[in-house]
């Protein structure tokens, strides 16, 4: 049902050198599913050495052949969708339909970069003199250390692995310990597709030790992180000592601005269904709802109705629309945020507690809070869970200032049928991604990332490849004519 997982080093799966393991648990039942290997420093040294050799081989593979290999990976992932989705649902609790969709999205990453690897274009610069030639080429940065999160355990590492391989880099991926199985399946697909030994590595265990070892190693020249803001800052400090190339997709707190010219009920339904996807554990989740005061009552009422109608349960069960949170610490945080908002005068419109009919697992009811003050914790700290705070606004300048008031800047959303106002709003929001009358932003062909403390660099799209490449400028002086 769930396999114990080893390390993947130099083209082979192997146990930790000292035999160490750690449990992986089902968040819906709290039962242990299996174990992961706990890498030692010796194991990481072996992974780094293998990656160095793998990079030397993989970077010399022609772009058409690289692309063909990545397409094979994509097809293998699609062929194994059911198996991968089942593992993902077990280790994250997300509904099986969501897990299938994520698995297909992970395959899309490999398909996209199978094509982009053939489009790493350089630049010709016109020389100032007839005997000079200037050009810019792009070369793979080298060995990449990639750190992924648990909320999308296949898609997030796929973005990193596919882009790194597409650029000609080698990559050592460290998935989240809560949900490593989906990433392991991607690595197995790379192995079966014929990606050379060492070009892809997979290590699990002590996150802090692994991060320090990999990021400090002179072999690693690029670091990619998806995680929380505090984790990102720690890794950024480590990378600075070695002047490493870094890209980071960190936390967010997505503002949603709902103007007075929209169908409030329809917008509320779209927002609620998106908010509670993956139990609200989505970095670009809509998390602060600013609704024009004339539309508040209808919006809040419909939002709460949708929340109360969601079916909770184990992700593998039929008809389940929302599973558990991934871990107990998140469950505790959402409970504390709810209590804090209510203490500050917010209205409880739906949920607010653990469901009485689910005695095991990390379940929390889809929770909707109305007229939430801006100083409530849920309006300031990222609420990574099934909690939706709604508040009101009166005029444009006021709501944009409130939406931009936090240090986060990942995603934002605007709902308006007025083209001029919607355009002003998406331009004025201080975020890396904006949905206008749309909430589903992530797709393989578009750049994904934020500004301010939400990160740097981009994953996905053509820009995602550039973070794994270094430009090299060449100037040539021609010999004099005879």
């Amino acid at each position: 049902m769930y396999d114990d997982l080893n390390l993947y080093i130099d083209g082979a799966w192997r146990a930790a050198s000292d035999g160490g393991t750690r449990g992986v648990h089902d968040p819906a039942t709290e039962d242990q599913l299996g174990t992961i290997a706990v890498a030692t420093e010796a194991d990481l040294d072996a992974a780094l050495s293998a990656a160095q050799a793998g990079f030397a081989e993989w970077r010399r593979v022609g772009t058409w052949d690289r692309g063909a290999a990545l397409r094979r990976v994509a097809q293998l992932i699609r062929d194994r969708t059911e198996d991968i989705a089942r593992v993902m649902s077990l280790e994250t609790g997300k509904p099986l339909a969501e897990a299938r969709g994520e698995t297909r999205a992970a395959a899309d990453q490999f398909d996209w970069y199978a094509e982009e690897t053939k489009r790493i274009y350089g630049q010709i610069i016109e020389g100032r003199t007839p005997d000079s030639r200037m050009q810019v080429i792009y070369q793979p940065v080298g060995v990449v250390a990639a750190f992924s999160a648990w909320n999308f355990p296949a898609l997030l590492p796929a973005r990193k692995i596919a882009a790194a391989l597409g650029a000609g880099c080698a990559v050592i991926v460290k998935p989240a310990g809560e949900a490593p199985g989906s990433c392991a399946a991607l690595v197995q697909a790379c192995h079966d597709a014929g990606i050379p030994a060492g070009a892809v590595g997979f290590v699990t265990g002590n996150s802090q030790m692994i991060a320090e070892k990999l990021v400090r190693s002179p072999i690693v020249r690029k670091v990619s992180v998806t995680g929380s803001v505090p984790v990102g800052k720690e890794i950024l400090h480590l990378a600075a000592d070695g002047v490493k190339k870094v890209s980071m997709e960190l936390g967010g707190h997505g503002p949603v601005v709902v103007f007075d010219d929209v169908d409030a009920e329809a917008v509320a339904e779209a927002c609620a269904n998106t908010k509670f996807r993956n139990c609200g554990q989505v970095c670009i989740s809509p998390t602060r709802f600013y609704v024009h005061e004339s539309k508040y009552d209808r919006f809040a009422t419909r939002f709460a109705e949708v929340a109360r109608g969601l079916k909770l349960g184990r992700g593998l069960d039929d008809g389940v629309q929302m599973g558990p949170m991934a871990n107990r610490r998140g469950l505790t945080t959402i409970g504390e945020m709810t209590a804090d908002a209510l203490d500050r005068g917010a209205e409880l419109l739906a949920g607010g507690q653990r469901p009485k009919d689910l005695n095991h697992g990390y379940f929390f009811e889809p929770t909707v809070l109305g007229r939430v003050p801006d100083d409530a914790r849920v309006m300031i700290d990222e609420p990574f869970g099934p909690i939706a705070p709604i508040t009101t606004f009166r005029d444009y300048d006021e709501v944009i200032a409130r939406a931009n008031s936090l240090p986060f800047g990942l995603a934002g959303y605007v709902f308006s049928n007025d083209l001029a106002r919607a355009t002003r709003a998406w331009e004025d929001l201080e975020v890396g991604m904006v949905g206008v009358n749309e909430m589903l932003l992530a797709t393989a062909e578009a750049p994904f990332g934020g500004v301010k403390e939400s990160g740097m660099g981009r994953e996905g799209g053509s820009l995602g490849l550039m973070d794994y490449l270094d430009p090299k400028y060449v100037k040539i002086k021609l010999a004099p004519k005879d």
Side-chain angles (χ1 to χ4, degrees):
M1 196 170 183
Y2 188 96
D3 295 331
D4 294 334
L5 299 178
N6 286 325
L7 312 173
Y8 182 78
I9 298 172
D10 202 16
W13 294 97
R14 63 172 78 170
S17 56
D18 65 356
T21 63
R22 177 183 297 173
V24 179
H25 294 82
D26 182 342
T29 65
E30 304 180 51
D31 296 333
Q32 181 166 307
L33 294 167
T35 62
I36 55 173
V38 177
T40 65
E41 289 203 22
D43 294 324
L44 298 178
D45 285 334
L48 287 163
S49 179
Q52 190 173 37
F55 171 59
E57 178 180 356
W58 180 246
R59 71 177 303 180
R60 289 178 172 81
V61 174
T63 55
W64 284 71
D65 290 334
R66 285 209 304 262
L70 292 178
R71 281 196 301 276
R72 290 195 296 272
V73 176
Q75 189 56 52
L76 287 168
I77 294 170
R78 289 197 175 90
D79 292 344
R80 299 167 183 176
T81 293
E82 286 302 313
D83 291 338
I84 296 172
R86 183 174 179 81
V87 167
M88 188 189 306
S89 183
L90 282 170
E91 60 188 8
T92 66
K94 68 177 63 184
L96 197 54
E98 290 186 18
R100 291 190 187 106
E102 181 181 339
T103 303
R104 290 189 287 267
D108 286 348
Q109 294 292 325
F110 286 91
D111 265 338
W112 172 259
Y113 285 111
E115 296 302 317
E116 283 301 291
T117 189
K118 295 182 289 188
R119 298 182 177 88
I120 302 174
Y121 300 134
Q123 183 181 19
I124 300 297
I125 303 169
E126 189 66 25
R128 291 193 177 194
T129 60
D131 61 349
S132 65
R133 302 290 185 270
M134 294 185 289
Q135 62 179 305
V136 178
I137 64 170
Y138 288 91
Q139 295 180 309
V141 66
V143 174
V144 177
F147 301 91
S148 189
W150 47 260
N151 55 328
F152 287 92
L155 177 58
L156 299 180
R159 284 180 180 151
K160 304 175 192 301
I161 298 170
L165 292 177
C169 298
V171 57
I172 302 172
V173 61
K174 194 277 177 190
E178 294 98 331
S182 310
C183 182
L186 303 186
V187 172
Q188 184 64 51
C190 290
H191 175 92
D192 295 341
I195 303 296
V200 178
F202 173 92
V203 295
T204 53
N206 185 306
S207 297
Q208 184 172 355
M209 186 275 284
I210 291 173
E212 290 189 4
K213 179 73 175 180
L214 295 185
V215 178
R216 290 190 187 280
S217 170
I219 292 173
V220 169
R221 295 308 312 158
K222 152 82 179 179
V223 181
S224 177
V225 180
T226 301
S228 68
V229 172
V231 168
K233 288 180 178 180
E234 288 182 15
I235 292 180
L236 189 59
H237 279 290
L238 291 173
D241 289 338
V243 195
K244 315 278 185 176
K245 193 178 183 79
V246 176
S247 59
M248 294 191 168
E249 189 265 287
L250 307 178
H253 203 332
V256 182
V257 181
V258 181
F259 288 102
D260 59 358
D261 61 344
V262 299
D263 181 334
E265 288 87 352
V267 172
E269 188 168 339
C271 288
N273 285 322
T274 304
K275 169 63 218 178
F276 297 115
R277 183 172 67 97
N278 202 35
C279 199
Q281 299 166 129
V282 182
C283 56
I284 60 170
S285 179
T287 50
R288 290 178 287 149
F289 296 88
Y290 298 97
V291 182
H292 191 273
E293 58 185 9
S294 67
K295 297 288 185 177
Y296 171 81
D297 289 337
R298 281 175 286 175
F299 180 93
T301 298
R302 182 59 187 142
F303 201 116
E305 288 173 352
V306 173
R308 287 193 294 268
L310 294 174
K311 181 180 178 180
L312 275 64
R314 196 167 184 235
L316 295 177
D317 294 341
D318 291 339
V320 167
Q321 296 167 289
M322 194 182 91
M325 298 191 67
N327 49 58
R328 186 171 295 281
R329 65 181 180 274
L331 184 68
T332 300
T333 298
I334 293 302
E336 292 172 349
M337 285 184 167
T338 301
D340 172 77
L342 296 176
D343 287 345
R344 294 176 186 273
E347 302 169 355
L348 181 63
L349 305 180
Q353 62 186 354
R354 299 191 64 177
K356 294 181 173 60
D357 58 337
L358 293 170
N359 299 320
H360 299 285
Y362 310 129
F363 291 95
F364 199 86
E365 292 177 338
T367 296
V368 183
L369 301 170
R371 301 193 184 279
V372 182
D374 285 356
D375 63 351
R377 181 180 170 190
V378 71
M379 297 293 282
I380 299 170
D381 298 336
E382 181 180 22
F384 214 61
I387 180 172
I390 307 173
T391 188
T392 63
F393 74 91
R394 291 185 179 181
D395 61 60
Y396 180 89
D397 290 338
E398 166 213 339
V399 73
I400 294 299
R402 291 164 69 192
N404 290 337
S405 64
L406 300 184
F408 305 107
L410 190 56
Y413 304 89
V414 174
F415 285 88
S416 175
N417 294 319
D418 182 323
L419 178 60
R421 182 160 58 181
T423 300
R424 286 178 59 207
W426 71 254
E427 289 179 344
D428 288 343
L429 285 178
E430 296 172 355
V431 295
M433 299 171 282
V434 185
V436 179
N437 301 326
E438 169 64 86
M439 306 221 78
L440 301 179
L441 298 180
T443 184
E445 61 271 27
F448 191 100
V451 298
K452 300 195 287 189
E453 290 192 9
S454 287
M456 61 184 72
R458 292 296 182 269
E459 293 185 323
S462 299
L463 293 179
L465 196 66
M466 301 308 294
D467 275 332
Y468 294 87
L469 297 166
D470 280 331
K472 178 181 284 185
Y473 156 61
V474 183
K475 183 175 182 180
I476 303 168
K477 182 81 168 181
L478 302 182
K481 293 181 179 180
D482 293 336

